[in-house]
């Protein structure tokens, strides 16, 4: 069965194998719409599909970048908390040493 395709069911989905666009018979000769060449249509379709295919990749890259920044900020917060703990511990040890020295001098 060799029937021509319709808009809803084209014979092929490959833009290169589709028939070129023809000017509409309903439009006047000097209308504002431009004639679209097949190569322009193919280029725009190609660019569109390439961009569409790269969108998830770009989203994943942005997501990973954000996660890396969050992880680095969390590591920095953990280091800061540990440094504060060590500082308090050092201050307590210093106070104990001063008291011990004061007790030794008093006797």
């Amino acid at each position: 069965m060799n029937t021509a395709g319709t808009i809803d069911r084209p014979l092929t989905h490959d833009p290169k194998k589709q028939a070129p666009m023809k000017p509409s018979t309903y439009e006047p000769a000097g209308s504002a719409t431009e004639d679209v060449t097949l190569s322009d249509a193919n280029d725009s379709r190609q660019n569109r599909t390439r961009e569409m295919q790269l969108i998830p990749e770009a989203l994943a890259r942005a997501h990973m970048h954000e996660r890396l920044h969050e992880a680095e900020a969390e590591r920095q917060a953990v280091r800061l908390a540990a440094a504060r703990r060590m500082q308090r511990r050092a201050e307590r040890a210093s106070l104990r040493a001063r008291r011990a020295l004061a007790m030794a001098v008093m006797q």
Side-chain angles (χ1 to χ4, degrees), residues 13-77:
H13 291 287
D14 186 6
K16 292 179 182 174
K17 294 180 182 175
Q18 290 176 2
M21 294 179 70
K22 297 176 185 167
S24 174
T25 55
Y26 300 111
E27 295 177 5
S31 68
T33 58
E34 298 178 17
D35 289 339
V36 177
T37 62
L38 186 60
S39 65
D40 288 344
N42 284 339
D43 289 345
S44 69
R45 284 187 189 117
Q46 285 288 319
N47 286 337
R48 206 171 321 126
T49 57
R50 244 182 250 122
E51 288 171 12
M52 293 294 278
Q53 286 172 351
L54 293 177
I55 285 173
E57 204 172 299
L59 285 172
R61 194 175 297 116
H63 188 73
M64 285 299 297
H65 187 69
E66 187 178 335
R67 294 286 89 77
L68 284 172
H69 277 288
E70 286 177 5
E72 181 60 33
E74 188 174 336
R75 279 193 295 270
Q76 194 172 8

